[in-house]
């Protein structure tokens, strides 16, 4: 009996070694990061206060290879849950995955509470998506709807962060006024894409 089990184990090992790197590559997740990774330079803000309900914070990602699959999105944010330990008012947020032509691939809507209620400080919310196959560049769009302030930093990877206008289906540069002047400076939303 031991010989049969040993033979079966060797056969399984042999088959896995033939599958080799492609099997390992498919199982290994990769996080696409376009921000600096320096959380000390992060600011928090949102666009709901501007009365822009149909606008989202959006980031353009390029998959590391063809046949890549998106599994989750990480968003740095906070809904204001503080040391008073009183949960903020429940509101709905929305996440969309759009292809390079801004066609909708996936939409998720839920309360912010399970994702962004970090006690006393911002954190990375992880929103899992049902394995979205990606063919080319794609956009992660997040509608904070006043429920969440999301992380952003000055500068960043130029041309990768936007405001997405759902009504007109267009991207606008992610720019915010600097130092109470009329000058607009590019910002980089702190969103990450996780896939395999």
């Amino acid at each position: 009996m031991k010989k049969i089990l040993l033979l079966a184990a060797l056969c399984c090992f042999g088959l896995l070694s033939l599958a080799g790197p492609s099997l390992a590559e498919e199982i290994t997740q990769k996080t696409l990061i376009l921000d600096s990774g320096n959380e000390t330079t992060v600011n928090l803000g949102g666009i709901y206060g501007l009365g822009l309900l149909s606008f989202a914070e959006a980031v353009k990602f390029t998959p590391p290879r063809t046949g890549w699959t998106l599994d989750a999105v990480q968003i740095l944010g906070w809904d204001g849950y503080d040391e008073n330990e009183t949960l903020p008012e429940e509101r709905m947020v929305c996440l969309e995955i759009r292809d390079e032509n801004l066609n909708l691939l996936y939409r998720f809507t839920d309360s912010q509470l399970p994702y962004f209620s970090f006690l006393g400080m911002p954190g990375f919310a992880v929103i899992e998506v049902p394995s979205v196959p990606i063919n080319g560049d794609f956009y992660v769009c997040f509608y904070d709807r006043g429920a969440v302030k999301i992380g952003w930093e000055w500068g960043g990877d130029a041309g990768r962060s936007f405001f997405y206008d759902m009504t007109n289906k267009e991207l606008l540069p992610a720019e915010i006024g600097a130092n109470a002047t009329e000058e607009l400076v590019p910002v980089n939303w702190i969103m990450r894409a996780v896939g395999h």
Side-chain angles (χ1 to χ4, degrees), residues 54-183:
S54 66
F55 279 70
E57 296 93 351
V59 176
K60 178 182 180 181
F61 291 95
T62 300
R65 62 178 175 78
T66 57
W68 194 73
T69 300
L70 178 68
D71 297 318
V73 171
Q74 299 174 348
I75 301 172
L76 182 68
W78 186 43
D79 67 359
Y81 185 40
D82 61 19
E83 58 277 347
N84 296 327
E85 297 187 28
T86 302
L87 281 174
E89 178 183 335
E90 182 176 36
R91 295 185 177 168
M92 294 293 118
V93 293
C94 180
L95 172 78
E96 292 178 338
I97 308 302
R98 293 184 171 271
D99 70 13
E100 58 193 337
N101 298 314
L102 300 175
N103 296 311
L104 183 65
L105 299 174
Y106 176 76
R107 179 178 288 143
F108 168 87
T109 303
D110 197 359
S111 164
Q112 91 282 7
L113 294 177
Y115 305 96
F116 293 97
S117 294
F118 302 103
L119 185 57
M121 67 180 74
F124 275 100
V126 177
I127 300 174
E128 294 182 358
V129 299
S131 296
V132 179
I134 302 296
N135 298 311
D137 291 346
F138 66 100
Y139 296 87
V140 172
C141 303
F142 181 72
Y143 301 84
D144 66 63
R145 296 181 176 162
V148 176
K149 292 182 177 179
I150 75 161
W152 56 273
E153 60 188 3
W154 297 110
D157 195 347
R160 292 288 185 164
S161 287
F162 303 91
F163 291 111
Y164 174 66
D165 177 356
M166 181 195 306
T167 304
N168 296 314
K169 295 187 178 179
E170 67 179 333
L171 294 167
L172 305 168
E175 297 175 331
I176 295 178
N179 301 324
T181 67
E182 292 184 21
E183 178 189 2

Side-chain angles (χ1 to χ4, degrees), residues 37-51:
N38 183 0
E39 293 181 31
T40 60
T41 64
V42 168
N43 301 285
L44 290 176
I47 56 179
Y48 178 78
L50 303 174

